[in-house]
Amino acid sequence: MSTATQVRHAEDGVRPSHGASHAPGGPVGGGLFDPEQLGKSLPDAFRKLDPRVMVKSPVMFVVEVGSVVTTVLAVAHPGDWFGWVIAVWLWLTVLFANLAEAVAEGRGKAQADTLRKAKTDSVARRLTSGGAEESVPGTDLRVGDQVVCEAGDVIPGDGDVVEGVASVDESAITGESAPVIRESGGDRSAVTGGTKVLSDRIVIRITTKPGETFIDRMISLVEGAARQKTPNEIALNILLASLTIVFTLAVVTLQPFAVYAGAEQSLTVLAALLVCLIPTTIGALLSAIGIAGMDRLVQRNVLATSGRAVEAAGDVSTLLLDKTGTITLGNRQAAEFVPVRGTTAAEVADAAQLSSLADETPEGRSVVVLAKEEYGLRERHEGELEHAEWVPFTAQTRMSGVDLTENGAGLKVRKGAAGSVCAWVRERGGEVGDEVHRITDGIAQAGGTPLVVGVEDGGGPRVLGVIHLKDVVKEGMAERFEELRAMGIRTVMITGDNPLTAGAIAKEAGVDDFLAEATPEDKMALIKREQAGGRLVAMTGDGTNDAPALAQADVGVAMNTGTSAAKEAGNMVDLDSNPTKLIEIVEIGKQLLITRGALTTFSIANDVAKYFAIIPAMFAVAYPGLDKLNIMGLASPESAILSAVVFNALIIVALVPLALRGVRYRPMSADRMLRRNIGVYGLGGLVAPFVGIKLIDLLITLIPGVG
């Protein structure tokens, strides 16, 4: 086996089946209560108090304005302890909101620092028009330039291999220690700047400008500098801004009624009321939820070129999945030796193993292994095969085998496509019965690939039997598809196989539908049909021929091993090149939407309890009947208002870990998910403030001069 083949097998062996790998250095940064992360994020939280930054979040900007107003009033009346305490807790509310966002951004910056270590200023060996080499800084390279890289060289920029084959260390980008093969032509030609060539010599055509390389884009995205608000996030911001305006008008118009009732309220109380009634909880955590969603993708080695793609993944209703490498293991494996009448399975296994000893393909190796495991046949020693003449497989003959000549006796074995081997037997005067065709047709209808084994020896030329090659469906795929079905997601398998084979694999894997003998045009047409029905579509791809479909899909995940065209067309890139990760990406997108929806529900339900705390306290003197609304039995108007403000600030801190980690995702239908969220977070949002405000009120009453 060649070095390149060994490396390729090593590469295939380290890929996790469910995308369990993480970004370089693993998950970085802890939650809000990680002292190191807190220390790094606190200065950023204070810098975000700049009104020019705060105005981007209308809800928290109103809280900051309220903090300024109450602070001015407290300074004007230095003896008013109540005003000072309210002002302090309003500022803490703003600070806690900024801290949540700063912690989320800090985790991304830590990942960006790891990536920066991989980004070095390299010297490139650029080829001139005459074919000579010249040394230039990597920053001087332009799109279309061709550079030479040999063992030990750092690749100076993103590009495609146009000449040669080499093993490349991509651990700085993917975190995987195993080298990968990059070669000209095909779908393994793309290379990333900052990775290192380990062997051989390759010529690379640069495809990106300096400063726009893959690492540059990834650094910008994980830092949050390039994160744009998604449509759903913008819509929710508009809703929160509208609620803020409504409650602001309500509080402003409340004062005339209070004056009329003889219970005029101070600006401090009105500011406290406004802050407690507007949806401050979700307003404080909204940005952190979005950043954390991108962060979870990066931890799984997926680069999303936009937040819109992450959100779209959560709304996907159709998944297009390649059969090979995604649903099946990717290499057909020998599953059974089927003899024809007059022979035994052991004889077929012996001849099949002999013909496969020089076959380095995964299929050939699986024949040897199956014969060894099922029939105890050992591999022959070199001495036993010194007179062997190996017949390699070619596209013309469509078969391979071996000719043995020893002591005047001869043995010829052929293994390959049914038509080719049967024709070989007939050419030598042998007969092929209908049984062979019945066996091969049965295997094909079952979704397998038949390889016929023929021999010529003292008994004459004849067919011994058939090897059943089978696409092996990955373990657990049927269960995962069942989970997707429970979520209302339709799965479609894409394959170049004939419809009979495709149908058998689809049935075994448990997908909802399949597209057989698929061409790039067929994929595009399928995506457009699904989108015309109002469904969002996600797919994976790695080749240039996948680029149109990746661009058309709402979520297009390109493999890092694929071509530059595929990576440019998609809106996500999987650094591990693991097609099954598309399922995880959908789950992460759904978790993002569920987290946002759950905390929005909790926040709005929260306000009901604060209403019962503050309104009775404000007007109980003017309208004693309102005391019946004081169902929490709060000690005094001052403690009631103060308890609500303190709870409003502390609940943000309590929910930051949930916003960063995300609400636990469970595969279920949208209806069940909605009922669950309303039951858990809606009811929790109602009950928690009643309990929390009452406990804070009890603590406040213990302070001398307050209760």
Side-chain angles (χ1 to χ4, degrees):
M1 187 181 295
S2 67
T3 302
T5 306
Q6 290 174 337
V7 172
R8 194 189 308 275
H9 288 334
E11 174 191 358
D12 293 340
V14 299
R15 297 302 178 200
S17 60
H18 297 300
S21 61
H22 295 283
V28 290
L32 180 65
F33 306 110
D34 177 16
E36 183 180 354
Q37 188 66 67
L38 188 62
K40 292 179 180 178
S41 301
L42 198 56
D44 287 335
F46 279 102
R47 278 193 288 270
K48 288 177 181 292
L49 292 174
D50 185 339
R52 293 169 297 183
V53 176
M54 294 299 301
V55 76
K56 296 177 183 178
S57 174
V59 176
M60 299 316 299
F61 179 71
V62 170
V63 178
E64 185 174 45
V65 171
S67 305
V68 172
V69 170
T70 53
T71 302
V72 171
L73 292 173
V75 171
H77 303 87
D80 182 12
W81 69 267
F82 178 75
W84 278 108
V85 175
I86 292 292
V88 168
W89 278 101
L90 291 187
W91 279 114
L92 286 175
T93 303
V94 180
L95 188 63
F96 291 157
N98 290 348
L99 194 56
E101 184 175 5
V103 167
E105 290 176 350
R107 297 180 357 155
K109 288 177 181 177
Q111 288 172 331
D113 290 340
T114 303
L115 289 169
R116 278 197 183 91
K117 293 176 183 177
K119 188 175 183 295
T120 58
D121 294 329
S122 56
V123 176
R125 296 158 57 189
R126 184 169 61 187
L127 291 177
T128 64
S129 56
E133 294 183 14
E134 60 177 354
S135 296
V136 297
T139 53
D140 288 352
L141 293 175
R142 295 295 178 264
V143 175
D145 285 348
Q146 292 191 358
V147 297
V148 176
C149 287
E150 294 181 323
D153 291 345
V154 174
I155 296 174
D158 295 356
D160 290 321
V161 178
V162 294
E163 181 184 319
V165 57
S167 59
V168 179
D169 177 9
E170 294 187 342
S171 59
I173 307 297
T174 67
E176 294 284 4
S177 58
V180 296
I181 296 298
R182 293 293 175 262
E183 56 193 341
S184 60
D187 297 335
R188 289 177 175 265
S189 61
V191 292
T192 305
T195 57
K196 188 176 183 179
V197 177
L198 297 179
S199 70
D200 304 298
R201 176 185 185 274
I202 51 177
V203 178
I204 301 165
R205 184 177 61 245
I206 300 299
T207 57
T208 57
K209 300 176 182 177
E212 297 179 8
T213 65
F214 201 69
I215 292 184
D216 291 316
R217 288 163 56 200
M218 194 168 180
I219 289 171
S220 180
L221 284 163
V222 299
E223 277 188 322
R227 193 188 85 88
Q228 296 179 335
K229 284 184 169 60
T230 61
N232 281 352
E233 193 173 347
I234 292 171
L236 186 53
N237 264 316
I238 293 172
L239 172 63
L240 297 181
S242 301
L243 289 174
T244 301
I245 292 171
V246 169
F247 281 118
T248 301
L249 292 174
V251 170
V252 168
T253 55
L254 189 65
Q255 184 71 323
F257 288 103
V259 172
Y260 176 78
E264 183 176 353
Q265 303 296 321
S266 67
L267 284 178
T268 299
V269 171
L270 292 175
L273 173 64
L274 177 61
V275 169
C276 288
L277 292 186
I278 62 177
T280 49
T281 307
I282 185 60
L285 299 175
L286 186 58
S287 182
I289 293 170
I291 295 170
M294 297 281 286
D295 178 65
R296 281 192 290 276
L297 271 183
V298 173
Q299 286 183 15
R300 286 163 177 80
N301 273 2
V302 177
L303 170 63
T305 55
S306 73
R308 181 191 295 266
V310 186
E311 202 166 78
D315 285 328
V316 159
S317 51
T318 302
L319 281 186
L320 305 188
L321 301 163
D322 272 330
K323 183 202 75 174
T324 305
T326 304
I327 295 173
T328 64
L329 291 176
N331 298 319
R332 295 171 301 174
Q333 296 185 359
E336 184 184 8
F337 298 111
V338 184
V340 299
R341 190 178 298 109
T343 62
T344 64
E347 290 178 288
V348 180
D350 185 59
Q353 186 191 60
L354 182 60
S355 67
S356 301
L357 292 178
D359 188 348
E360 291 291 343
T361 65
E363 293 87 350
R365 305 315 301 162
S366 73
V367 171
V368 174
V369 170
L370 181 65
K372 190 175 182 179
E373 291 179 347
E374 294 293 326
Y375 299 96
L377 298 177
R378 60 180 177 80
E379 294 188 34
R380 276 77 169 177
H381 296 299
E382 290 185 8
E384 299 177 74
L385 302 172
E386 58 182 347
H387 301 291
E389 183 179 340
W390 302 104
V391 179
F393 175 88
T394 67
Q396 288 73 31
T397 63
R398 297 177 65 204
M399 62 182 180
S400 60
V402 62
D403 294 344
L404 290 175
T405 304
E406 188 174 5
N407 299 326
L411 171 65
K412 295 182 179 181
V413 184
R414 295 294 183 270
K415 171 199 72 181
S420 300
V421 175
C422 290
W424 178 81
V425 170
R426 291 191 186 101
E427 286 173 3
R428 281 156 177 74
E431 293 185 1
V432 178
D434 292 338
E435 183 185 7
V436 175
H437 298 296
R438 286 198 300 271
I439 293 173
T440 55
D441 289 345
I443 290 174
Q445 289 176 1
T449 301
L451 292 181
V452 174
V453 179
V455 299
E456 183 180 13
D457 55 12
R462 65 193 185 279
V463 172
L464 288 181
V466 183
I467 305 170
H468 181 178
L469 289 182
K470 184 179 179 183
D471 271 322
V472 180
V473 175
K474 290 182 178 179
E475 187 178 352
M477 291 305 293
E479 290 77 7
R480 300 200 81 180
F481 290 139
E482 186 59 41
E483 291 177 357
L484 291 170
R485 200 171 294 113
M487 294 153 46
I489 295 176
R490 178 170 171 264
T491 52
V492 181
M493 183 183 78
I494 308 294
T495 178
D497 291 341
N498 64 70
L500 279 176
T501 301
I505 295 294
K507 183 177 180 181
E508 182 181 354
V511 296
D512 298 309
D513 202 354
F514 65 90
L515 178 65
E517 298 176 343
T519 64
E521 292 77 15
D522 293 335
K523 295 178 186 178
M524 280 284 289
L526 175 59
I527 292 172
K528 288 180 178 179
R529 283 198 305 272
E530 293 290 324
Q531 291 172 333
R535 292 179 285 273
L536 268 64
V537 180
M539 74 162 287
T540 61
D542 58 3
T544 301
N545 64 339
D546 291 323
L550 286 170
Q552 179 68 35
D554 300 283
V555 179
V557 184
M559 301 295 101
N560 190 40
T561 56
T563 61
S564 296
K567 290 197 279 190
E568 288 298 324
N571 49 23
M572 289 190 188
V573 177
D574 177 19
L575 301 180
D576 292 328
S577 300
N578 177 12
T580 59
K581 204 179 290 183
L582 178 58
I583 299 173
E584 281 194 52
I585 291 170
V586 170
E587 292 175 350
I588 291 170
K590 285 194 174 293
Q591 186 184 36
L592 170 65
L593 296 180
I594 291 167
T595 302
R596 188 184 295 158
L599 293 184
T600 300
T601 303
F602 186 93
S603 177
I604 293 174
N606 239 314
D607 297 334
V608 176
K610 298 172 199 169
Y611 171 87
F612 279 99
I614 295 181
I615 296 298
M618 291 174 62
F619 296 100
V621 175
Y623 299 101
L626 284 177
D627 194 53
K628 293 180 180 178
L629 293 178
N630 184 16
I631 57 179
M632 286 179 274
L634 302 179
S636 66
E638 289 82 3
S639 70
I641 295 170
L642 185 55
S643 298
V645 171
V646 171
F647 176 84
N648 194 60
L650 294 181
I651 197 63
I652 294 173
V653 178
L655 291 176
V656 168
L658 183 61
L660 297 181
R661 185 180 66 250
V663 173
R664 185 180 177 186
Y665 170 76
R666 292 184 177 88
M668 62 180 69
S669 65
D671 291 341
R672 285 186 59 199
M673 199 176 299
L674 179 62
R675 289 195 298 270
R676 177 180 175 274
N677 283 346
I678 290 176
V680 174
Y681 295 96
L683 185 61
L686 282 173
V687 174
F690 280 95
V691 176
I693 290 173
K694 179 60 180 176
L695 289 175
I696 294 171
D697 177 72
L698 291 174
L699 291 174
I700 289 175
T701 55
L702 296 177
I703 301 174
V706 178

